[in-house]
Amino acid sequence: MLQHLIETQQFDREALSRLFSLATSLENKRERTLDGKILASLFFEPSTRTRLSFESAMMRLGGDVLSMENANENSSSTKGETIEDTIRIVDNYADIIVLRHPEAGAAERAAKVSEVPVINAGDGTGQHPTQAFLDLYTIQREIGRTDGIHIAFVGNLKYYRSSRSLAYLLGKYNDIKMTFVAAPELQVKDDIKEYLNEKKVSFEQTEDLGATMKAADVVYQTRMQKEWMSEDEYNRLSKQFVITRPMTDAMRDGAILIHPLPRAGEIAPEVDDSPHAVYFKQAGYGVLVRMALLKTILNGG
Ligand code: CP
């Protein structure tokens, strides 16, 4: 039984396959299966999609929600309370805790003291596993397979926790090719490269976005993150890999452009009605995947 969800490596292919089937079966459904259960969302960093889609998922399953947004300012952490003490309190109030925190490793620290399941909703530059699940679900829904994929990760690969989580997750699939398109100083970190070598996943690093977009099945764009980058890095690099309509028009038939969102100029607005652009649909799939996850964890699956 899954207790806490801290990183994508915890899930194997069979578990993901079950999760995705359950997610699809929950489309347009409202249930009372989690009636009486309470979800506490503790967000020490800003969020639109993750917090609201988890809360929407819980409500669609008949559960209730305690929500603390802006917890870095509104919780007793401002009085010096540690994350461990906060969790020791909140686990009295809820059956499951969804935690976003600016420190890598915070979700693991929370899980060590929690009496209820903890879901990592993003820990600094660490991981964002539920985002990776919905990214992979989007690939399965839109491309029709999760093996034999050529995926290009673009832009901010050093700091972006969601792309890190998906790269780890795709290491479990067959015949995957990854192209990392980034400036040398924002390239993917050594832990990912070591993992991919261990899993014998083929990958290359390049700055040629145009050629890569013509070849890939999935293009995964990322946001340049002022919150983690130095001002110099941001000013020099934030406009290097903007995706425009001519670039998506040159993509292969059936290829998709995904992005966890929010975006901040790295996909031009005229791309939105391209048949390749699925990032808004992707955000919608987040509710289904999170419903499936809550049901799986709280019903002891
Ligand atoms: N994709 C994502 O994590 O979005 P939010 O920061 O809005 O939750």
Side-chain angles (χ1 to χ4, degrees):
M1 185 180 122
L2 182 71
Q3 171 73 354
H4 308 291
L5 175 54
I6 308 302
E7 56 184 20
T8 51
Q9 296 94 305
Q10 286 173 253
F11 264 62
D12 58 25
R13 288 185 62 138
E14 290 68 32
L16 280 166
S17 175
R18 284 196 298 277
L19 188 79
F20 291 173
S21 297
L22 182 57
T24 301
S25 75
L26 291 167
E27 195 154 21
N28 301 318
K29 293 268 172 56
R30 295 257 178 173
E31 295 185 355
R32 304 298 305 169
T33 42
L34 296 187
D35 191 14
K37 301 282 188 191
I38 298 172
L39 175 149
S41 55
L42 301 184
F43 277 64
F44 290 81
E45 267 188 4
S47 167
T48 297
R49 278 146 289 271
T50 311
R51 187 171 67 83
L52 293 183
S53 64
F54 260 117
E55 294 180 2
S56 175
M58 191 64 176
M59 290 173 185
R60 285 166 198 239
L61 294 169
D64 293 305
V65 170
L66 297 172
S67 188
M68 184 139 66
E69 62 162 328
N70 213 3
N72 51 322
E73 287 180 16
N74 295 337
S75 76
S76 286
S77 68
T78 58
K79 302 171 196 163
E81 186 166 68
T82 62
I83 189 67
E84 283 84 356
D85 282 1
T86 301
I87 296 294
R88 283 187 185 107
I89 301 306
V90 176
D91 70 6
N92 291 287
Y93 307 155
D95 300 288
I96 190 162
I97 296 171
V98 177
L99 175 70
R100 174 170 289 187
H101 198 279
E103 287 169 28
E108 193 171 3
R109 281 170 54 202
K112 281 198 176 121
V113 298
S114 182
E115 296 289 331
V116 302
V118 172
I119 297 181
N120 181 4
D123 62 333
T125 54
Q127 283 217 21
H128 190 354
T130 66
Q131 179 67 47
F133 293 168
L134 78 91
D135 296 341
L136 187 62
Y137 181 74
T138 302
I139 292 170
Q140 187 187 76
R141 289 279 301 243
E142 299 299 319
I143 303 252
R145 64 181 194 278
T146 45
D147 290 309
I149 296 285
H150 176 190
I151 182 166
F153 293 97
V154 182
N156 167 18
L157 309 184
K158 180 176 170 189
Y159 299 107
Y160 209 73
R161 59 195 174 203
S162 303
S163 57
R164 288 172 48 73
S165 285
L166 185 59
Y168 271 116
L169 198 56
L170 281 169
K172 297 174 185 295
Y173 290 82
N174 300 324
D175 193 22
I176 299 292
K177 181 176 175 195
M178 298 189 192
T179 302
F180 297 112
V181 185
E185 55 267 65
L186 292 182
Q187 264 294 355
V188 66
K189 290 199 267 193
D190 286 345
D191 65 321
I192 299 280
K193 288 190 264 184
E194 282 159 20
Y195 175 80
L196 296 177
N197 282 329
E198 189 188 303
K199 295 280 177 188
K200 302 198 176 357
V201 175
S202 147
F203 70 89
E204 61 180 3
Q205 295 169 272
T206 178
E207 291 187 71
D208 190 345
L209 178 59
T212 303
M213 285 193 64
K214 287 180 189 161
D217 302 304
V218 179
V219 176
Y220 183 118
Q221 178 62 303
T222 61
R223 177 174 62 91
M224 293 289 163
Q225 294 167 298
K226 271 188 183 158
E227 58 269 43
W228 305 118
M229 299 167 83
S230 68
E231 204 177 324
D232 170 60
E233 258 179 339
Y234 186 82
N235 290 338
R236 272 188 305 111
L237 303 171
S238 63
K239 297 283 175 271
Q240 189 180 0
F241 294 115
V242 174
I243 292 180
T244 60
R245 186 59 193 248
M247 293 163 94
T248 51
D249 286 345
M251 288 172 76
R252 296 168 58 163
D253 282 350
I256 58 171
L257 171 61
I258 63 175
H259 188 319
L261 303 178
R263 65 177 157 177
E266 62 277 4
I267 298 179
E270 64 268 21
V271 172
D272 294 354
D273 59 7
S274 160
H276 301 285
V278 299
Y279 30 89
F280 292 120
K281 219 171 172 186
Q282 177 187 358
Y285 289 146
V287 176
L288 298 182
V289 171
R290 288 174 174 133
M291 283 172 86
L293 194 60
L294 292 174
K295 222 176 144 172
T296 300
I297 294 176
L298 288 171
N299 280 348

